[in-house]
Amino acid sequence: MRPDLIPQRIADDVFEFSASSSEEAQALAAQLRELGLAEDVVAGLKSVCVRFAPDKLPKLELAFNDVSKRPLDLALLDQEVELEIQYGGAAGPDLAAICRAMGLTETAFIDLHTAKPIVWT
């Protein structure tokens, strides 16, 4: 196992991997999600947390060993992800207050928020 990809157990049902960058964390998270063994995989700025069901632990540990031997596929980061967003109402009851604080109309806020894709660096 690569020394930089040794998972640390941080809770009964959570492992954490350290990453050298947000790009590495995102790529590692994508590879861990592909395993289909985790309940949840969350990439942070320089870490990835994996929550699992206790009965999957033996399979998960074997899979971690396999992932640590493969190079991280940074090409996965070039994939565009489309998210459905709802503004105002029950989905965003604070929209009006945020717009007032920013001096924007709701339409202007939404236009700014949806203007271009976000590039994670």
Side-chain angles (χ1 to χ4, degrees):
M1 182 173 274
R2 286 182 13 204
D4 59 331
L5 286 182
I6 296 173
Q8 301 296 313
R9 191 106 176 241
I10 61 170
D12 288 343
D13 62 347
V14 179
F15 280 104
E16 180 182 56
F17 290 87
S18 293
S20 62
S21 66
S22 61
E23 291 86 3
E24 184 178 271
Q26 292 294 328
L28 178 58
Q31 286 179 314
L32 292 168
R33 285 185 194 107
E34 286 177 2
L35 298 174
L37 296 171
E39 297 288 312
D40 198 11
V41 177
V42 179
L45 292 176
K46 290 191 173 186
S47 65
V48 178
C49 288
V50 179
R51 189 173 58 81
F52 60 93
D55 63 316
K56 299 270 173 85
L57 182 59
K59 287 182 182 179
L60 196 61
E61 288 176 325
L62 287 173
F64 286 168
N65 194 24
D66 181 50
V67 166
S68 71
K69 293 176 183 173
R70 295 185 302 180
L72 291 175
D73 186 0
L74 296 178
L76 294 170
L77 301 177
D78 292 334
Q79 297 175 0
E80 189 171 305
V81 176
E82 189 172 312
L83 302 174
E84 181 180 325
I85 300 174
Q86 297 178 1
Y87 296 93
D94 56 350
L95 178 63
I98 290 170
C99 290
R100 276 192 306 278
M102 295 178 69
L104 296 171
T105 65
E106 290 182 11
T107 301
F109 175 85
I110 293 168
D111 288 345
L112 283 170
H113 190 245
T114 59
K116 61 181 182 176
I118 297 171
V119 177
W120 297 97
T121 58

